[in-house]
Amino acid sequence: MKKIVIALGATLAFATAANAADLPRRQPVPAYPGEQAPIGKMPIGKSPIGKAPIGKAPGPVAARY
């Protein structure tokens, strides 16, 4: 009987901790000292993504039905 009570208590504690970890929390507002938030300031075209030589990489795979 004592083992069952301990096992149920441990299971309940574990389930409570797992449930509390899934609760949503409010995130703090980012602080931009002395200026407005950087809207539209993303460096478009400055990263190497999509800069592969055209025609050198294999084309997209299209499914045929």
Side-chain angles (χ1 to χ4, degrees):
M1 181 69 179
K2 186 177 179 182
K3 290 181 182 179
I4 295 174
V5 172
I6 292 173
L8 286 175
T11 304
L12 180 64
F14 184 76
T16 303
N19 190 24
D22 289 335
L23 292 176
R25 295 187 187 102
R26 293 192 66 172
Q27 297 295 319
V29 179
Y32 298 104
E35 61 185 53
Q36 193 177 6
I39 298 174
K41 301 290 184 180
M42 191 167 178
I44 304 297
K46 301 290 183 183
S47 64
I49 299 172
K51 300 273 183 161
I54 297 174
K56 299 291 182 181
V61 177
R64 295 182 187 177
Y65 293 106

